[in-house]
């Protein structure tokens, strides 16, 4: 598989995300991701993760599933491979989707069965949650979810 193929897959995701946003139908994207999920594993994980986060940041209000196919793909790696990138994404463009993915890693030390400790501390996560709650760019739903995560 070539980088052109990966780009075409993410072009399809972007088109599906745009349609899902316009039509209020998250399944347009989720179904598209399921169709191409096997393709993602062929490529460099960090490149794919960066592209997923870029897509979520472009459509921060779109429900992409909890965890959904992207979340399931991301969680197939050790915490150190993705939690710092999730935190950075929240700092760039808060979204309920990424917040949910990162929150899942905070709730259970055995979440990944021996993949090692989470490099994102609960304290650092809570500091970002506090910023999200006060960020005027953030929609009410994401702010409310951040408050719940602080619980």
């Amino acid at each position: 598989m070539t980088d052109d193929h990966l780009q075409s897959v993410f072009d399809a995701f972007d088109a599906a995300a745009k349609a899902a946003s316009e039509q209020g139908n998250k399944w347009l994207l989720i179904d598209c991701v399921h169709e191409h999920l096997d393709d993602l594993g062929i490529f460099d994980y960090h490149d794919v993760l960066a592209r997923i986060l870029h897509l979520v940041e472009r459509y921060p209000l779109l429900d992409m599933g909890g965890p959904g196919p992207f979340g399931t793909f991301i969680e197939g790696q050790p915490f150190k491979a993705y939690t710092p990138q999730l935190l950075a994404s929240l700092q760039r463009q808060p979204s309920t989707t990424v917040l949910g993915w990162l929150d899942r890693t905070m709730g259970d030390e055995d979440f990944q069965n021996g993949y090692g400790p989470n490099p994102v501390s609960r304290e650092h996560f809570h500091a970002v949650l506090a910023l999200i709650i006060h960020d005027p760019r953030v929609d009410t739903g994401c702010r409310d979810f951040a408050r719940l995560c602080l619980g």
Side-chain angles (χ1 to χ4, degrees):
M1 295 281 176
T2 65
D3 285 340
D4 289 341
H5 178 72
L6 182 60
Q7 184 59 50
S8 71
V9 168
F10 274 88
D11 287 346
F13 292 163
D14 189 69
K18 183 178 185 209
S21 291
E22 292 171 353
Q23 297 175 32
N25 182 355
K26 70 180 181 180
W27 296 104
L28 295 173
L29 174 61
I30 291 171
D31 290 346
C32 182
V33 174
H34 276 296
E35 289 175 27
H36 297 285
L37 202 53
D38 290 339
D39 290 344
L40 298 182
I42 297 169
F43 296 96
D44 176 71
Y45 175 81
H46 294 289
D47 184 27
V48 173
L49 176 60
R51 289 172 186 249
I52 290 169
L53 294 175
H54 178 73
L55 181 71
V56 176
E57 291 167 20
R58 283 183 42 117
Y59 299 95
L61 300 178
L62 183 59
D63 179 356
M64 297 190 184
F70 280 144
T72 300
F73 173 80
I74 290 168
E75 291 171 356
Q77 298 292 315
F79 285 142
K80 68 182 180 182
Y82 69 93
T83 58
Q85 288 77 9
L86 296 181
L87 190 69
S89 177
L90 287 174
Q91 292 169 318
R92 287 189 301 269
Q93 174 59 65
S95 68
T96 301
T97 296
V98 174
L99 186 55
W101 293 337
L102 190 54
D103 182 60
R104 283 171 53 84
T105 71
M106 296 290 141
D108 186 356
E109 292 299 320
D110 295 325
F111 178 70
Q112 291 200 312
N113 300 322
Y115 272 172
N118 189 342
V120 174
S121 70
R122 185 172 300 281
E123 292 77 20
H124 200 174
F125 180 55
H126 284 182
V128 171
L129 291 172
L131 293 173
I132 290 171
I133 290 168
H134 296 95
D135 188 333
R137 300 174 301 154
V138 178
D139 71 291
T140 302
C142 187
R143 273 198 301 268
D144 289 347
F145 189 45
R147 282 186 192 95
L148 182 67
C149 292
L150 274 172

